[in-house]
Amino acid sequence: MVSGADDSKTPPLVSLMAGGVAGGIEAFTSYPLEFAKTRVQLRSQKGTPTPRNPFLVVTQVYQKEGLRALYKGCAALVVGSIAKDGVRFLFFDQIKNSFADPETGTLSPLRNLAAGMTAGVVASVTAVTPSERIKTALIDDARTEKRFKSGLHATRVIWAESGIFGLYRGLAGTTLKQASATAFRMGTYNILKDYEKARDIQQTTVINFANGAVSGIVTTICTQPFDVIKTRSQSAQGTSTVEAVKSVLIDYGVRGFWKGTTMRLGRTIFSGGILFTSYEAAVKIIQPLYSGTAHTIGAEA
């Protein structure tokens, strides 16, 4: 399993629920930094350079547009993150349980990465792409046309104009990003945890947060190009993955694929720690309740 207080396997429903809770908490608490990162990756208006410091971007938006502007598109990301992380933890836990060494309960580093990649692909198709498309379109629209009133309104407009394909604009880029990001994030976290487990290092909140933060650093550095392509594909007007790649090269050259890295690091270090710490805590709360309910139902049967 990805986490938990003991060595028992995490039931699928517990993985799904705990992952959803953790994803929602992580998305809401770190959203202003996600907002700043997305603003930087979108095409800037001529004569209006965007600062690289994420906290400066957040401050400027807050001063000019207010607190609500920093959470534009947040609802779409929170809903998507609840579904995304529920699915990611569910599939990762089940894959890990299936391929783990029966004696140690651990996976090789390569299998950890492969399990994360599989979970990322499933999450992208089922939840991430539509929610990311709406979130990115809202952030882009807020600085240009301002025609979207809310996430639901944006969904209706995009659906009316382009159908389901409009909501899945950027699927290839998003799936590449999710597959690689989940592989590195979940894989790195579990490699660290297996290493600590082999050396009898106690899993505390501080250790969980530190492992999550390290996994966030590794994930960001290795997957930033996919994130940039995904953001360009899912702007308010929308574009294909190939066109997104071309636009980045035209605007900034190869270095453009790592645009927003500093801002994303600010979020992923913070969010990685929150995500895994929240998941660990949620499992500890939900699993006993689930086990008690299952036991009661079994006894009545």
Side-chain angles (χ1 to χ4, degrees), residues 120-167:
V121 171
V122 175
S124 176
V125 175
T126 58
V128 180
T129 300
S131 64
E132 283 284 333
R133 165 68 164 129
I134 296 167
K135 178 215 73 176
T136 305
L138 281 167
I139 293 175
D140 190 26
D141 178 73
R143 71 192 183 109
T144 53
E145 298 180 55
K146 295 182 172 61
R147 63 179 184 140
F148 297 147
K149 299 176 182 178
S150 65
L152 183 59
H153 181 247
T155 303
R156 289 174 177 170
V157 172
I158 293 172
W159 180 277
E161 293 177 349
S162 308
I164 192 171
F165 293 106
L167 293 175

Side-chain angles (χ1 to χ4, degrees), residues 5-22:
D6 54 44
D7 292 333
S8 60
K9 293 181 179 180
T10 306
L13 184 59
V14 174
S15 294
L16 182 66
M17 294 175 65
V21 169

Side-chain angles (χ1 to χ4, degrees), residues 16-229:
L16 182 66
M17 294 175 65
V21 169
I25 292 173
E26 177 267 329
F28 182 80
T29 54
S30 64
Y31 190 76
L33 291 173
E34 172 67 16
F35 175 92
K37 182 268 300 181
T38 302
R39 271 274 178 107
V40 169
Q41 290 177 339
L42 290 165
R43 275 187 156 165
S44 301
Q45 296 174 332
K46 289 185 177 180
T48 310
T50 306
R52 295 182 178 182
N53 186 325
F55 299 102
L56 184 56
V57 174
V58 170
T59 300
Q60 288 181 349
V61 173
Y62 174 74
Q63 292 175 340
K64 294 179 181 179
E65 304 174 47
L67 181 62
R68 291 183 63 182
L70 289 174
Y71 277 87
K72 191 78 172 178
C74 180
L77 184 66
V78 169
V79 171
S81 293
I82 290 172
K84 170 190 72 176
D85 286 305
V87 170
R88 285 203 301 187
F89 277 102
L90 169 64
F91 275 84
F92 188 89
D93 276 347
Q94 298 315 302
I95 293 169
K96 182 173 170 63
N97 289 339
S98 299
F99 292 99
D101 185 299
E103 294 183 2
T104 64
T106 62
L107 284 175
S108 67
L110 188 59
R111 286 192 175 186
N112 263 314
L113 293 175
M117 186 176 294
T118 303
V121 171
V122 175
S124 176
V125 175
T126 58
V128 180
T129 300
S131 64
E132 283 284 333
R133 165 68 164 129
I134 296 167
K135 178 215 73 176
T136 305
L138 281 167
I139 293 175
D140 190 26
D141 178 73
R143 71 192 183 109
T144 53
E145 298 180 55
K146 295 182 172 61
R147 63 179 184 140
F148 297 147
K149 299 176 182 178
S150 65
L152 183 59
H153 181 247
T155 303
R156 289 174 177 170
V157 172
I158 293 172
W159 180 277
E161 293 177 349
S162 308
I164 192 171
F165 293 106
L167 293 175
Y168 273 87
R169 177 76 72 180
L171 174 63
T174 303
T175 301
L176 284 171
K177 183 220 168 183
Q178 283 300 313
S180 56
T182 306
F184 284 107
R185 172 172 275 195
M186 308 287 270
T188 300
Y189 182 84
N190 279 276
I191 289 169
L192 290 172
K193 188 166 184 177
D194 288 344
Y195 177 86
E196 293 158 357
K197 179 180 176 182
R199 287 157 182 77
D200 295 323
I201 298 175
Q202 185 178 0
Q203 295 297 297
T204 64
T205 299
V206 174
I207 292 295
N208 292 335
F209 192 95
N211 288 347
V214 171
S215 72
I217 294 173
V218 174
T219 301
T220 299
I221 294 173
C222 294
T223 67
Q224 187 63 17
F226 299 130
D227 190 62
V228 173
I229 294 168

